[in-house]
Structure formats: structure tokens, C-alpha cells
Amino acid sequence: MEIIITPDPASASKEAARFLAALLRKKPHAVLGLATGGTPLPLYRELIRMHRQEGLDFSRCTTFNLDEYVGLGAEHPASYRRFMQEHLFASLNIPPDHIRIPDGLAADIPAHCAAYEQAIVEAGGIDAQILGIGGDGHIGFNEPTSSLGSRTRLKTLTVRTREDNARFFASPGEVPHHVITMGIGTILDARSLVLLAFGAAKAEAVAAMVEGPITAMVPASALQMHPVVKVLLDEPAASKLKRRGYYRDVFAHKPEWQRW
Ligand code: GLP
């Protein structure tokens, strides 16, 4: 894992955007894995700025989102489909038929999940997957005890995640119990992973992910098995890492040819 500790979320998000822009310029038909939540918002704003001001072109890329709430359609204000439309897709030139998000209204969920996995394979696999992290160490909606080899499937949210995400709903009781999420195995199949985490509330999960044992109790710890992972943090999110000094040293002395 490459741990990059940045002064603030804006700097971390610019690093992530630079990485994605370099990928898109090298491979215009790249497949991007996208995430929701508050964390990727500054990254999405930066991508929109690069699209408008620097001509960063998304017309040939394909996107796959990590997850969706079961029971929420595209028009529901808290659906991830709607979130993505508002915060990213409305402002970029990704062809609508290149955008894939699990369908929260799918009638046959296992068949839909299998088709989602198949669509990722047919698109050529995900080149770069953006990730946030839940306070309990979840990625996508893979809650603690998720199989580290899991594929896209139905999951039941924990009480904590439902409470954490209640801010996006009119009332806490409206947060669905069920979601469709890419599995940890699906995420690990991506060619590169970029995880963003900001704020002290994420510090414990970040430390467990980076420096703890690989365990289904901390789904993000599975990222230790992936060879190309960038973890972009602000100072508070990095505050519980024991080897902070080493990570700073690595980044400060990174050879020019390894930078993007
Ligand atoms: C949800 C999403 C995750 C996200 C997490 C953290 O559970 N499914 O993909 O990483 O929330 O959200 P936030 O970035 O708002 O802290």
C-alpha cells in the first residue's frame, strides 16, 4: 500500500484526480470504479473542473459504481444513482449507456448481481477503483464479516452504517436495511485502487486497514493483498498510524518516474 498523507482533503482529492486524469489520457476507454458518500465529493469537483478547464475527456470511458440501496429507484433523493447524477455525471460527458450502477429495484437480485459481475468482465475489468471507508472499516457496503472473496451480492447493513448514512435521508427509519454491493473479491480484481479517507472519525478504521491484520472484521484490510493501492489521507485520518513518519519519508523520496 502506498500511504500518502496530505495537508487537507482538497490536496488529497487533487492527487487522486491527477491519477485518474493520467489514466484517462493514457487509456481514454478506461473503466473507472466509482464510490459515493461525502468523501469523494472534492475529487468529483476536481474532475469536473479538469473536464471544463483542461478538456479532460470522459466520452470513451465506462463507469461502474460500487453499490446501491435496495428499494430505492433512480429518482429517490437518497439513491446512489441520483447522488452520482447530481455530483458527477450531470457535469461530465460520459455517455449514459457507459454508466453502470447496481439497480436497487431489480426484481431478481441474484441474477442482477451476476449480470453486474459479467458486465465488468465484458468491459475489460476495472482499471481504477475509487473507494471511501466506513467508520467500521467497510468498503463499498461490505460490512465486517464479509467474505474477503465475495462478489456482487445482497448485503444487510449494520446498525452503525444505517446511523452513519441517516444524514442523507429524511428520517433515520428510511435508511434501507439491504443493499447491493460489489464484493471484496470484485474490488480486489480492479487493476488499481485509490482509497480516500478524511477526518478523525476515520482514523481508527484507517489504522486497522493499513497496520492491522487482514481480517473479515475489517473488510478494508483485504486491500493489503492488492499490489497497487494508493491510500490518500488528511492529517486527522492518518493520526492513528504508527508508521506515519515512514510513509511521509517514502512519499518525499519517491523517484520521479514513479510519480503521476
Ligand atoms: C457508504 C458507502 C461507502 C463509503 C462510506 C463512507 O457506506 N457505501 O462506499 O465509503 O459510506 O461514507 P463517507 O464518505 O460519507 O464517510
Side-chain angles (χ1 to χ4, degrees), residues 163-214:
E163 283 170 2
D164 283 352
N165 290 0
R167 66 191 195 278
F168 295 108
F169 290 80
S171 70
E174 276 186 36
V175 184
H177 285 269
H178 292 119
V179 293
I180 295 172
T181 181
M182 277 187 204
I184 297 174
T186 320
I187 292 168
L188 292 178
D189 279 351
R191 292 183 190 92
S192 61
L193 305 175
V194 179
L195 186 141
L196 301 158
F198 307 133
K202 300 291 172 71
E204 213 164 293
V206 166
M209 164 181 74
V210 178
E211 295 177 344
I214 297 177

Tab-separated table of all heavy atoms in Angstrom, residues 163-214:
chain	number	residue	atom	x	y	z
A	163	GLU	N	-26.970	4.233	10.816
A	163	GLU	CA	-26.938	5.512	11.561
A	163	GLU	C	-26.020	6.524	10.860
A	163	GLU	O	-26.369	7.692	10.697
A	163	GLU	CB	-26.439	5.278	12.994
A	163	GLU	CG	-27.492	4.662	13.897
A	163	GLU	CD	-26.936	4.209	15.248
A	163	GLU	OE1	-25.720	4.404	15.507
A	163	GLU	OE2	-27.721	3.639	16.026
A	164	ASP	N	-24.850	6.048	10.430
A	164	ASP	CA	-23.888	6.951	9.759
A	164	ASP	C	-24.497	7.561	8.501
A	164	ASP	O	-24.217	8.714	8.153
A	164	ASP	CB	-22.630	6.177	9.348
A	164	ASP	CG	-21.692	5.908	10.526
A	164	ASP	OD1	-21.945	6.446	11.617
A	164	ASP	OD2	-20.725	5.148	10.342
A	165	ASN	N	-25.291	6.773	7.778
A	165	ASN	CA	-25.820	7.242	6.494
A	165	ASN	C	-27.194	7.897	6.608
A	165	ASN	O	-27.742	8.364	5.605
A	165	ASN	CB	-25.847	6.086	5.487
A	165	ASN	CG	-24.435	5.693	5.061
A	165	ASN	OD1	-23.455	6.284	5.525
A	165	ASN	ND2	-24.310	4.720	4.196
A	166	ALA	N	-27.728	7.953	7.836
A	166	ALA	CA	-29.071	8.529	8.037
A	166	ALA	C	-29.119	9.993	7.608
A	166	ALA	O	-30.177	10.509	7.233
A	166	ALA	CB	-29.491	8.385	9.494
A	167	ARG	N	-27.954	10.664	7.612
A	167	ARG	CA	-27.936	12.090	7.249
A	167	ARG	C	-28.378	12.341	5.806
A	167	ARG	O	-28.743	13.462	5.459
A	167	ARG	CB	-26.554	12.690	7.510
A	167	ARG	CG	-25.449	12.145	6.627
A	167	ARG	CD	-24.079	12.618	7.153
A	167	ARG	NE	-22.997	12.439	6.200
A	167	ARG	CZ	-22.360	11.276	6.015
A	167	ARG	NH1	-22.716	10.191	6.694
A	167	ARG	NH2	-21.371	11.199	5.132
A	168	PHE	N	-28.333	11.327	4.973
A	168	PHE	CA	-28.745	11.500	3.580
A	168	PHE	C	-30.246	11.265	3.381
A	168	PHE	O	-30.762	11.426	2.277
A	168	PHE	CB	-27.965	10.546	2.665
A	168	PHE	CG	-26.482	10.835	2.619
A	168	PHE	CD1	-25.560	9.994	3.245
A	168	PHE	CD2	-25.997	11.965	1.965
A	168	PHE	CE1	-24.195	10.267	3.208
A	168	PHE	CE2	-24.631	12.249	1.925
A	168	PHE	CZ	-23.736	11.393	2.555
A	169	PHE	N	-30.926	10.848	4.443
A	169	PHE	CA	-32.354	10.515	4.347
A	169	PHE	C	-33.191	11.503	5.155
A	169	PHE	O	-32.682	12.167	6.065
A	169	PHE	CB	-32.588	9.091	4.877
A	169	PHE	CG	-32.031	8.023	3.984
A	169	PHE	CD1	-30.664	7.723	4.014
A	169	PHE	CD2	-32.837	7.334	3.100
A	169	PHE	CE1	-30.126	6.760	3.181
A	169	PHE	CE2	-32.313	6.359	2.265
A	169	PHE	CZ	-30.956	6.070	2.294
A	170	ALA	N	-34.494	11.564	4.834
A	170	ALA	CA	-35.391	12.475	5.540
A	170	ALA	C	-35.495	12.082	7.016
A	170	ALA	O	-35.556	12.938	7.892
A	170	ALA	CB	-36.763	12.459	4.880
A	171	SER	N	-35.499	10.775	7.304
A	171	SER	CA	-35.513	10.333	8.699
A	171	SER	C	-34.738	9.024	8.817
A	171	SER	O	-34.657	8.258	7.833
A	171	SER	CB	-36.949	10.134	9.190
A	171	SER	OG	-37.499	8.998	8.555
A	172	PRO	N	-34.136	8.731	9.996
A	172	PRO	CA	-33.285	7.537	10.141
A	172	PRO	C	-34.020	6.245	9.786
A	172	PRO	O	-33.419	5.321	9.229
A	172	PRO	CB	-32.900	7.539	11.624
A	172	PRO	CG	-33.102	8.939	12.094
A	172	PRO	CD	-34.183	9.535	11.238
A	173	GLY	N	-35.324	6.193	10.064
A	173	GLY	CA	-36.091	4.979	9.785
A	173	GLY	C	-36.180	4.659	8.301
A	173	GLY	O	-36.530	3.542	7.916
A	174	GLU	N	-35.883	5.651	7.447
A	174	GLU	CA	-35.982	5.445	5.996
A	174	GLU	C	-34.759	4.763	5.391
A	174	GLU	O	-34.779	4.379	4.227
A	174	GLU	CB	-36.144	6.797	5.290
A	174	GLU	CG	-37.559	7.289	5.243
A	174	GLU	CD	-37.661	8.552	4.408
A	174	GLU	OE1	-36.949	8.674	3.392
A	174	GLU	OE2	-38.427	9.427	4.816
A	175	VAL	N	-33.671	4.647	6.178
A	175	VAL	CA	-32.463	4.031	5.605
A	175	VAL	C	-32.749	2.544	5.369
A	175	VAL	O	-33.090	1.827	6.311
A	175	VAL	CB	-31.243	4.174	6.556
A	175	VAL	CG1	-29.984	3.618	5.887
A	175	VAL	CG2	-31.046	5.621	6.985
A	176	PRO	N	-32.618	2.070	4.127
A	176	PRO	CA	-32.915	0.659	3.864
A	176	PRO	C	-32.005	-0.266	4.676
A	176	PRO	O	-30.894	0.113	5.054
A	176	PRO	CB	-32.632	0.503	2.365
A	176	PRO	CG	-32.750	1.879	1.809
A	176	PRO	CD	-32.263	2.786	2.894
A	177	HIS	N	-32.490	-1.457	4.933
A	177	HIS	CA	-31.677	-2.471	5.609
A	177	HIS	C	-30.780	-3.183	4.615
A	177	HIS	O	-29.718	-3.688	4.980
A	177	HIS	CB	-32.580	-3.491	6.305
A	177	HIS	CG	-33.207	-2.962	7.555
A	177	HIS	ND1	-32.631	-3.094	8.797
A	177	HIS	CD2	-34.343	-2.252	7.745
A	177	HIS	CE1	-33.389	-2.512	9.704
A	177	HIS	NE2	-34.438	-1.982	9.095
A	178	HIS	N	-31.221	-3.229	3.354
A	178	HIS	CA	-30.488	-4.023	2.363
A	178	HIS	C	-29.865	-3.169	1.261
A	178	HIS	O	-30.393	-2.113	0.914
A	178	HIS	CB	-31.431	-5.061	1.725
A	178	HIS	CG	-31.858	-6.107	2.700
A	178	HIS	ND1	-33.169	-6.310	3.056
A	178	HIS	CD2	-31.129	-6.991	3.412
A	178	HIS	CE1	-33.231	-7.284	3.954
A	178	HIS	NE2	-32.006	-7.705	4.191
A	179	VAL	N	-28.774	-3.692	0.747
A	179	VAL	CA	-28.053	-3.016	-0.342
A	179	VAL	C	-27.543	-4.071	-1.312
A	179	VAL	O	-27.464	-5.257	-0.966
A	179	VAL	CB	-26.836	-2.234	0.215
A	179	VAL	CG1	-27.273	-1.075	1.087
A	179	VAL	CG2	-25.896	-3.166	0.978
A	180	ILE	N	-27.186	-3.614	-2.510
A	180	ILE	CA	-26.417	-4.457	-3.435
A	180	ILE	C	-25.027	-3.829	-3.490
A	180	ILE	O	-24.903	-2.613	-3.669
A	180	ILE	CB	-27.038	-4.463	-4.847
A	180	ILE	CG1	-28.426	-5.113	-4.804
A	180	ILE	CG2	-26.124	-5.200	-5.832
A	180	ILE	CD1	-29.196	-4.999	-6.118
A	181	THR	N	-24.014	-4.640	-3.281
A	181	THR	CA	-22.650	-4.096	-3.319
A	181	THR	C	-21.701	-5.026	-4.067
A	181	THR	O	-21.840	-6.251	-3.996
A	181	THR	CB	-22.097	-3.852	-1.884
A	181	THR	OG1	-20.767	-3.310	-1.970
A	181	THR	CG2	-22.056	-5.131	-1.047
A	182	MET	N	-20.767	-4.418	-4.793
A	182	MET	CA	-19.648	-5.211	-5.314
A	182	MET	C	-19.042	-5.931	-4.117
A	182	MET	O	-19.002	-5.376	-3.012
A	182	MET	CB	-18.539	-4.304	-5.875
A	182	MET	CG	-18.727	-3.812	-7.270
A	182	MET	SD	-17.178	-2.953	-7.723
A	182	MET	CE	-17.792	-1.870	-8.985
A	183	GLY	N	-18.525	-7.120	-4.333
A	183	GLY	CA	-17.880	-7.838	-3.242
A	183	GLY	C	-16.433	-7.394	-3.057
A	183	GLY	O	-15.895	-6.620	-3.850
A	184	ILE	N	-15.829	-7.906	-2.002
A	184	ILE	CA	-14.411	-7.578	-1.767
A	184	ILE	C	-13.561	-8.219	-2.871
A	184	ILE	O	-12.608	-7.614	-3.366
A	184	ILE	CB	-13.986	-8.049	-0.360
A	184	ILE	CG1	-14.810	-7.288	0.690
A	184	ILE	CG2	-12.487	-7.809	-0.136
A	184	ILE	CD1	-14.594	-7.745	2.113
A	185	GLY	N	-13.953	-9.415	-3.289
A	185	GLY	CA	-13.244	-10.063	-4.400
A	185	GLY	C	-13.366	-9.250	-5.680
A	185	GLY	O	-12.405	-9.129	-6.445
A	186	THR	N	-14.559	-8.675	-5.910
A	186	THR	CA	-14.765	-7.831	-7.099
A	186	THR	C	-13.814	-6.626	-7.037
A	186	THR	O	-13.156	-6.280	-8.023
A	186	THR	CB	-16.223	-7.304	-7.145
A	186	THR	OG1	-17.128	-8.325	-6.733
A	186	THR	CG2	-16.574	-6.797	-8.525
A	187	ILE	N	-13.763	-6.003	-5.868
A	187	ILE	CA	-12.925	-4.802	-5.697
A	187	ILE	C	-11.446	-5.154	-5.899
A	187	ILE	O	-10.706	-4.436	-6.576
A	187	ILE	CB	-13.175	-4.183	-4.302
A	187	ILE	CG1	-14.601	-3.613	-4.235
A	187	ILE	CG2	-12.128	-3.119	-3.963
A	187	ILE	CD1	-15.078	-3.226	-2.840
A	188	LEU	N	-11.044	-6.296	-5.354
A	188	LEU	CA	-9.625	-6.682	-5.470
A	188	LEU	C	-9.232	-7.020	-6.903
A	188	LEU	O	-8.056	-7.020	-7.242
A	188	LEU	CB	-9.319	-7.873	-4.549
A	188	LEU	CG	-9.380	-7.585	-3.043
A	188	LEU	CD1	-9.096	-8.864	-2.251
A	188	LEU	CD2	-8.397	-6.493	-2.630
A	189	ASP	N	-10.217	-7.295	-7.766
A	189	ASP	CA	-9.921	-7.583	-9.174
A	189	ASP	C	-9.553	-6.323	-9.970
A	189	ASP	O	-9.022	-6.422	-11.077
A	189	ASP	CB	-11.133	-8.231	-9.859
A	189	ASP	CG	-11.215	-9.722	-9.570
A	189	ASP	OD1	-10.261	-10.269	-8.989
A	189	ASP	OD2	-12.241	-10.332	-9.929
A	190	ALA	N	-9.891	-5.139	-9.442
A	190	ALA	CA	-9.551	-3.902	-10.165
A	190	ALA	C	-8.026	-3.793	-10.283
A	190	ALA	O	-7.297	-4.257	-9.403
A	190	ALA	CB	-10.115	-2.693	-9.428
A	191	ARG	N	-7.566	-3.162	-11.377
A	191	ARG	CA	-6.105	-3.100	-11.587
A	191	ARG	C	-5.427	-2.158	-10.619
A	191	ARG	O	-4.252	-2.315	-10.302
A	191	ARG	CB	-5.808	-2.673	-13.031
A	191	ARG	CG	-6.208	-3.744	-14.003
A	191	ARG	CD	-5.884	-3.434	-15.452
A	191	ARG	NE	-6.553	-4.436	-16.249
A	191	ARG	CZ	-7.771	-4.296	-16.758
A	191	ARG	NH1	-8.420	-3.141	-16.635
A	191	ARG	NH2	-8.332	-5.287	-17.410
A	192	SER	N	-6.151	-1.137	-10.159
A	192	SER	CA	-5.580	-0.240	-9.142
A	192	SER	C	-6.712	0.253	-8.251
A	192	SER	O	-7.867	0.323	-8.680
A	192	SER	CB	-4.857	0.942	-9.803
A	192	SER	OG	-5.763	1.693	-10.584
A	193	LEU	N	-6.360	0.570	-7.015
A	193	LEU	CA	-7.348	1.032	-6.036
A	193	LEU	C	-6.874	2.363	-5.463
A	193	LEU	O	-5.686	2.534	-5.166
A	193	LEU	CB	-7.485	0.022	-4.894
A	193	LEU	CG	-7.810	-1.430	-5.287
A	193	LEU	CD1	-7.799	-2.333	-4.051
A	193	LEU	CD2	-9.170	-1.509	-5.975
A	194	VAL	N	-7.801	3.296	-5.321
A	194	VAL	CA	-7.483	4.603	-4.718
A	194	VAL	C	-8.477	4.811	-3.593
A	194	VAL	O	-9.671	4.989	-3.840
A	194	VAL	CB	-7.619	5.741	-5.754
A	194	VAL	CG1	-7.303	7.086	-5.103
A	194	VAL	CG2	-6.714	5.498	-6.953
A	195	LEU	N	-7.997	4.731	-2.355
A	195	LEU	CA	-8.890	4.899	-1.209
A	195	LEU	C	-8.643	6.259	-0.570
A	195	LEU	O	-7.499	6.641	-0.310
A	195	LEU	CB	-8.664	3.783	-0.195
A	195	LEU	CG	-9.647	3.785	0.983
A	195	LEU	CD1	-10.059	2.360	1.367
A	195	LEU	CD2	-9.091	4.507	2.205
A	196	LEU	N	-9.721	6.985	-0.356
A	196	LEU	CA	-9.654	8.309	0.275
A	196	LEU	C	-10.289	8.229	1.658
A	196	LEU	O	-11.337	7.587	1.822
A	196	LEU	CB	-10.447	9.332	-0.549
A	196	LEU	CG	-10.008	9.540	-2.002
A	196	LEU	CD1	-11.157	10.124	-2.822
A	196	LEU	CD2	-8.813	10.467	-2.058
A	197	ALA	N	-9.669	8.864	2.646
A	197	ALA	CA	-10.291	8.924	3.981
A	197	ALA	C	-9.905	10.237	4.640
A	197	ALA	O	-8.725	10.610	4.660
A	197	ALA	CB	-9.837	7.746	4.840
A	198	PHE	N	-10.902	10.921	5.149
A	198	PHE	CA	-10.682	12.235	5.763
A	198	PHE	C	-11.345	12.303	7.132
A	198	PHE	O	-12.453	11.792	7.320
A	198	PHE	CB	-11.280	13.340	4.882
A	198	PHE	CG	-10.812	13.286	3.450
A	198	PHE	CD1	-11.723	13.400	2.400
A	198	PHE	CD2	-9.473	13.095	3.138
A	198	PHE	CE1	-11.305	13.341	1.073
A	198	PHE	CE2	-9.041	13.030	1.817
A	198	PHE	CZ	-9.962	13.153	0.785
A	199	GLY	N	-10.678	12.986	8.056
A	199	GLY	CA	-11.288	13.277	9.354
A	199	GLY	C	-10.947	12.242	10.412
A	199	GLY	O	-10.678	11.075	10.124
A	200	ALA	N	-10.969	12.707	11.671
A	200	ALA	CA	-10.582	11.864	12.807
A	200	ALA	C	-11.506	10.659	12.967
A	200	ALA	O	-11.079	9.618	13.478
A	200	ALA	CB	-10.580	12.710	14.081
A	201	ALA	N	-12.746	10.775	12.519
A	201	ALA	CA	-13.694	9.660	12.679
A	201	ALA	C	-13.258	8.432	11.870
A	201	ALA	O	-13.727	7.327	12.127
A	201	ALA	CB	-15.095	10.099	12.244
A	202	LYS	N	-12.353	8.627	10.906
A	202	LYS	CA	-11.883	7.507	10.080
A	202	LYS	C	-10.530	6.964	10.562
A	202	LYS	O	-10.040	5.964	10.025
A	202	LYS	CB	-11.768	7.931	8.611
A	202	LYS	CG	-13.082	8.402	7.973
A	202	LYS	CD	-14.054	7.262	7.793
A	202	LYS	CE	-15.433	7.712	7.338
A	202	LYS	NZ	-15.494	8.178	5.978
A	203	ALA	N	-9.907	7.645	11.560
A	203	ALA	CA	-8.519	7.311	11.935
A	203	ALA	C	-8.362	5.863	12.391
A	203	ALA	O	-7.400	5.178	12.007
A	203	ALA	CB	-8.033	8.271	13.019
A	204	GLU	N	-9.299	5.395	13.188
A	204	GLU	CA	-9.190	4.035	13.705
A	204	GLU	C	-9.319	3.008	12.572
A	204	GLU	O	-8.544	2.047	12.498
A	204	GLU	CB	-10.287	3.817	14.724
A	204	GLU	CG	-9.868	2.892	15.846
A	204	GLU	CD	-10.824	3.011	17.019
A	204	GLU	OE1	-10.863	4.085	17.656
A	204	GLU	OE2	-11.538	2.033	17.234
A	205	ALA	N	-10.309	3.213	11.697
A	205	ALA	CA	-10.511	2.285	10.578
A	205	ALA	C	-9.293	2.289	9.654
A	205	ALA	O	-8.862	1.234	9.169
A	205	ALA	CB	-11.775	2.671	9.806
A	206	VAL	N	-8.713	3.465	9.431
A	206	VAL	CA	-7.537	3.569	8.552
A	206	VAL	C	-6.358	2.807	9.167
A	206	VAL	O	-5.668	2.034	8.482
A	206	VAL	CB	-7.171	5.054	8.311
A	206	VAL	CG1	-5.781	5.188	7.706
A	206	VAL	CG2	-8.219	5.713	7.410
A	207	ALA	N	-6.137	2.984	10.462
A	207	ALA	CA	-5.021	2.286	11.119
A	207	ALA	C	-5.224	0.771	11.049
A	207	ALA	O	-4.283	0.013	10.779
A	207	ALA	CB	-4.893	2.755	12.571
A	208	ALA	N	-6.467	0.331	11.265
A	208	ALA	CA	-6.746	-1.113	11.213
A	208	ALA	C	-6.550	-1.643	9.795
A	208	ALA	O	-6.022	-2.743	9.593
A	208	ALA	CB	-8.167	-1.374	11.690
A	209	MET	N	-6.946	-0.859	8.803
A	209	MET	CA	-6.805	-1.269	7.396
A	209	MET	C	-5.333	-1.409	6.998
A	209	MET	O	-4.945	-2.373	6.345
A	209	MET	CB	-7.475	-0.224	6.494
A	209	MET	CG	-7.074	-0.319	5.031
A	209	MET	SD	-7.862	0.924	4.006
A	209	MET	CE	-6.967	2.414	4.443
A	210	VAL	N	-4.526	-0.437	7.415
A	210	VAL	CA	-3.134	-0.381	6.936
A	210	VAL	C	-2.191	-1.214	7.808
A	210	VAL	O	-1.319	-1.908	7.293
A	210	VAL	CB	-2.637	1.089	6.908
A	210	VAL	CG1	-1.179	1.165	6.469
A	210	VAL	CG2	-3.509	1.935	5.978
A	211	GLU	N	-2.386	-1.120	9.128
A	211	GLU	CA	-1.379	-1.698	10.025
A	211	GLU	C	-1.904	-2.878	10.847
A	211	GLU	O	-1.153	-3.494	11.597
A	211	GLU	CB	-0.842	-0.594	10.947
A	211	GLU	CG	-0.094	0.482	10.153
A	211	GLU	CD	0.403	1.642	11.005
A	211	GLU	OE1	-0.074	1.800	12.149
A	211	GLU	OE2	1.270	2.384	10.513
A	212	GLY	N	-3.191	-3.184	10.705
A	212	GLY	CA	-3.759	-4.308	11.450
A	212	GLY	C	-3.665	-5.590	10.646
A	212	GLY	O	-3.161	-5.598	9.514
A	213	PRO	N	-4.132	-6.688	11.233
A	213	PRO	CA	-4.134	-7.955	10.485
A	213	PRO	C	-5.186	-7.957	9.389
A	213	PRO	O	-6.160	-7.199	9.476
A	213	PRO	CB	-4.489	-8.988	11.566
A	213	PRO	CG	-5.229	-8.216	12.612
A	213	PRO	CD	-4.703	-6.804	12.575
A	214	ILE	N	-5.000	-8.793	8.371
A	214	ILE	CA	-6.034	-8.972	7.346
A	214	ILE	C	-7.142	-9.800	7.980
A	214	ILE	O	-6.920	-10.923	8.424
A	214	ILE	CB	-5.471	-9.701	6.112
A	214	ILE	CG1	-4.378	-8.854	5.450
A	214	ILE	CG2	-6.589	-10.007	5.113
A	214	ILE	CD1	-3.706	-9.525	4.268
